[in-house]
């Protein structure tokens, strides 16, 4: 290529480098928005200052702090029943490790669920699970998470119906949004599981999209979706109890954690008001503008509490304290979990296929196919779907 005299060619960064830089910029902007929401909007809603909030938080004492941290760990452990139920053969310790590691990534990066899922995908593959098993697990847990988060504000609205004059618009909006999201998730799951024909149609739609994006791809979406349908039927029909118990336990324990944060901060409101605020906050953790909805969820919960009569200053301290345990502390805990996995993960060929048994050593459930031997083959976040963490697509991330 010829260059005109006096022109200096401007070097261009490789596509990968530009993508990395853009992701860093997105991360900085997203974290900046989180800081703005927590630093300005939360004190503005609660008519307090961060100095007062900090004094309240640091005044709870170490015994109370350890008690709250214990509740956090119990809640996360409850969610391992959902993960192990969706992935037969996964032990509770490994489920907790994957949950923490994935949530750590999701709670740092904007739209970090995809990155958290990619990390979980690699972890599950290193433990000997097949691509089909992992994808089935991701789809099933995602649907269960959507249903749970959608149900919470609906329940809150029903609980507060006797007080229509005090019911915030956020509750009604959350109830409508939750009902729509839950309905869509249920219809999608029913269409996929109830009819082989509908599963084939979904596969054909994916295949048309794939052919436009990657014309030379060797993937066969129709066969993959039909195979996933068979495995998901086995999971849902035999493991629905584990899936539901894990999520109910997780959200139940975290509600106790939320209530304890309110009481320790001096917020004295009825339990139904606490639940309403908690429900709206958990729904808002799915808002992708900040990592794990940080700042958005806290502002939403504080708005509901103040509207329903809670002391504004104490409310600001309470929701900030809850954010510490439901979001911020998951980051260092998850980083430790990820490092331990990288140090202790089995070498290829060392791990037996976990699909041949459950976490308790019992035979595999009906409909679950045996896992392929562990490999180091990479996988993308697009293959995996939503994160397994609370925010999240959390939990907890919430």
């Amino acid at each position: 290529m010829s260059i005109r005299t006096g022109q200096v060619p401007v070097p261009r960064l490789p596509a990968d480098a530009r993508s990395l830089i853009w992701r860093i910029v997105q991360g900085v902007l997203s974290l900046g928005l989180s800081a703005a929401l927590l630093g300005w909007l939360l004190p503005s809603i609660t008519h307090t200052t961060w100095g007062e909030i900090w004094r309240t938080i640091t005044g709870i004492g170490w015994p109370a702090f350890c008690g709250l941290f214990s509740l956090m760990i119990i809640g996360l452990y409850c969610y391992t029943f959902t993960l192990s139920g969706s992935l037969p053969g996964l032990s509770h310790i490994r489920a907790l490790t994957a949950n923490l590691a994935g949530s750590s990534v999701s709670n740092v990066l904007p739209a970090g669920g995809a990155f958290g899922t990619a990390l979980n995908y690699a972890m599950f593959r290193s433990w000997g699970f097949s691509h089909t098993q992992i994808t089935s697990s991701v789809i099933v847990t995602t649907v269960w998470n959507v249903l749970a988060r959608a149900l919470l504000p609906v329940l809150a609205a029903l609980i507060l119906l006797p007080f229509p004059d005090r019911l915030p618009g956020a509750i009604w909006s959350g109830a409508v949004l939750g009902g729509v999201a839950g309905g869509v998730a249920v219809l999608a799951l029913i269409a996929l599981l109830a009819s082989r024909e509908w599963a084939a149609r979904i596969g054909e739609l994916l295949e048309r999209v794939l052919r436009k994006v990657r014309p030379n791809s060797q993937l066969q979406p129709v066969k993959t979706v039909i195979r996933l349908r068979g495995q998901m039927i086995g999971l849902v029909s035999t493991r629905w109890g584990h899936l539901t118990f894990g999520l109910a336990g997780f959200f139940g324990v975290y509600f106790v954690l939320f209530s304890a944060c309110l009481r320790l901060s001096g917020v004295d409101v009825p339990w139904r008001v606490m639940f309403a605020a908690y429900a709206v906050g958990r729904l808002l953790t799915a808002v992708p503008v900040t990592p794990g909805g940080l700042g958005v969820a806290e502002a939403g919960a504080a708005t509901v509490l103040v509207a329903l009569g809670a002391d504004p200053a104490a409310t600001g301290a309470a929701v900030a304290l809850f954010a510490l345990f439901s979001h911020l502390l998951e980051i260092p805990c998850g980083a430790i979990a990820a490092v331990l996995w990288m140090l202790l993960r089995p070498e290829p060929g060392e791990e037996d296929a976990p699909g041949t048994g459950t976490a308790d050593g019992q035979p595999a459930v009906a409909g679950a196919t045996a896992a392929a031997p562990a490999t180091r083959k990479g996988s993308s976040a697009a293959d995996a779907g939503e994160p397994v963490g609370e925010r999240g697509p959390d939990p907890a991330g919430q």
Side-chain angles (χ1 to χ4, degrees):
M1 180 179 70
S2 61
I3 300 175
R4 296 178 187 176
T5 305
Q7 267 191 330
V8 179
V10 179
R12 298 188 64 186
L13 289 171
D16 290 345
R18 292 198 302 271
S19 177
L20 177 61
I21 291 174
W22 174 237
R23 287 174 183 172
I24 293 174
V25 171
Q26 283 182 309
V28 171
L29 292 176
S30 184
L31 290 174
L33 180 58
S34 298
L37 290 172
L38 285 175
W40 172 78
L41 184 59
L42 180 60
S44 176
I45 292 172
T46 56
H47 309 292
T48 186
T49 66
W50 267 103
E52 296 176 17
I53 292 174
W54 182 249
R55 281 193 293 273
T56 301
I57 292 176
T58 54
I60 66 171
W62 280 107
F65 181 91
C66 292
L68 296 176
F69 186 78
S70 299
L71 285 173
M72 166 190 156
I73 297 300
I74 293 172
L76 292 174
Y77 187 81
C78 285
Y79 190 72
T80 65
F81 286 89
T82 298
L83 288 180
S84 60
S86 69
L87 201 56
L90 181 69
S91 70
H92 289 283
I93 294 299
R94 284 181 169 178
L96 181 61
T97 302
N99 188 21
L100 282 170
S103 295
S104 178
V105 175
S106 302
N107 290 353
V108 171
L109 299 174
F115 297 98
T117 300
L119 174 58
N120 289 150
Y121 200 94
M123 296 173 78
F124 294 147
R125 287 294 290 151
S126 75
W127 293 329
F129 292 96
S130 69
H131 297 291
T132 303
Q133 285 180 302
I134 299 170
T135 306
S136 298
S137 169
V138 169
I139 294 174
V140 170
T141 54
T142 297
V143 171
W144 248 251
N145 270 282
V146 169
L147 291 175
R149 293 174 190 277
L151 183 62
L152 286 174
V154 176
L155 290 177
L158 292 176
I159 291 171
L160 291 174
L161 275 179
F163 311 94
D165 55 325
R166 299 178 61 191
L167 196 64
I171 292 292
W172 288 116
S173 300
V176 172
L177 180 60
V180 172
V184 170
V186 169
L187 290 176
L189 184 63
I190 291 175
L192 182 62
L193 298 183
S195 171
R196 181 184 175 91
E197 180 182 354
W198 275 102
R201 289 183 181 180
I202 293 173
E204 291 170 359
L205 177 62
L206 293 175
E207 187 170 10
R208 286 197 294 270
V209 174
L210 181 64
R211 293 295 173 258
K212 291 181 180 180
V213 177
R214 297 175 61 184
N216 299 323
S217 174
Q218 301 299 314
L219 297 177
Q220 298 178 310
V222 176
K223 291 183 178 180
T224 300
V225 170
I226 291 175
R227 185 169 64 250
L228 282 172
R229 172 180 175 269
Q231 185 161 358
M232 288 172 62
I233 289 174
L235 281 175
V236 173
S237 63
T238 60
R239 310 288 283 184
W240 65 269
H242 290 76
L243 297 168
T244 306
F245 173 79
L247 269 175
F250 170 77
F251 282 114
V253 172
Y254 264 52
F255 174 60
V256 174
L257 174 61
F258 182 72
S259 303
C261 290
L262 292 175
R263 296 301 188 197
L264 287 170
S265 301
V267 177
D268 186 16
V269 293
W271 72 268
R272 56 181 176 269
V273 173
M274 294 184 187
F275 186 79
Y278 173 73
V280 170
R282 294 312 86 203
L283 182 64
L284 291 176
T285 58
V287 176
V289 296
T290 61
L294 182 64
V296 179
E298 287 70 33
T303 300
V304 173
L305 285 168
V306 172
L308 292 176
D311 177 71
T315 296
V319 296
L321 182 61
F322 181 65
L324 174 65
F325 290 95
S326 64
H327 187 101
L328 298 177
L329 285 180
E330 287 184 1
I331 297 173
C333 292
I336 294 172
V339 170
L340 290 175
W341 165 71
M342 287 187 288
L343 293 175
L344 302 176
R345 58 181 172 175
E347 293 298 325
E350 288 185 1
E351 186 78 6
D352 293 332
T356 57
T358 67
D360 299 322
Q362 299 299 320
V365 297
T369 59
T375 68
R376 291 291 179 185
K377 189 174 182 180
S379 57
S380 66
D383 297 326
E386 292 295 317
V388 298
E390 188 270 326
R391 283 199 180 230
D394 205 332
Q398 297 174 22

